[in-house]
Amino acid sequence: MDYVFKRGRTEEAAEYALHIQCSWRIAKGNKIEDINEHTIVERVDSDEVGGLKIFLPQGYLLEVFPDTSEDDEYSEFSRLFKQKEDSSHFVVTGNGLKNE
C-alpha cells in the first residue's frame, strides 16, 4: 500500500487509481455484483473502442464500456495513474489513447 495526502491528512491508498467516466459493471458469472474491499488485478484486456475487461480474484470481472460516439478532445472514458503526485496518466478518450 501507498499513502496519499488528502484533505489535510495522510490516508492509505492503492498504488494505482482508475477513474471511469463511462458505463461499467462488476460481474461474477451471470450476475452483477458489488466488491467492498481492496483487490488485486489478475489480468486486463482492452478492445479497439476503449473498453476494458479487468479480471479480479474469485471470478469477478470489472467491465468498462464506452457508450457514446463522442470523439472530441474533451471525451474521456477512463484514466489510470499512480496515486503519487506528479505521475503520468494513461487516458482513454474518444480520439484514442493519450499520456498526460
Side-chain angles (χ1 to χ4, degrees):
M1 279 293 167
D2 283 347
Y3 295 90
V4 294
F5 190 72
K6 285 185 181 177
R7 299 182 187 139
R9 64 177 196 212
T10 301
E11 296 181 3
E12 188 176 44
E15 183 176 359
Y16 288 91
L18 175 64
H19 289 187
I20 301 170
Q21 298 179 54
C22 63
S23 296
W24 62 276
R25 68 178 167 226
I26 296 174
K28 184 173 182 180
N30 62 356
K31 291 180 67 178
I32 302 297
E33 297 282 341
D34 291 327
I35 296 178
N36 295 323
E37 59 192 56
H38 293 282
T39 190
I40 295 172
V41 172
E42 293 181 342
R43 188 176 97 227
V44 177
D45 289 343
S46 63
D47 61 31
E48 300 83 25
V49 293
L52 295 172
K53 288 186 178 182
I54 301 174
F55 295 85
L56 307 169
Q58 300 175 347
Y60 288 97
L61 175 64
L62 168 59
E63 295 178 280
V64 177
F65 42 98
D67 57 355
T68 180
S69 59
E70 292 180 30
D71 60 358
D72 61 28
E73 63 183 290
Y74 303 108
S75 62
E76 183 175 311
F77 303 135
S78 63
R79 175 180 292 260
L80 177 69
F81 59 96
K82 279 192 164 193
Q83 297 255 41
K84 294 181 179 179
E85 291 181 33
D86 298 328
S87 68
S88 62
H89 292 204
F90 179 79
V91 183
V92 180
T93 72
N95 281 335
L97 305 175
K98 63 182 180 179
N99 197 7
E100 294 183 346

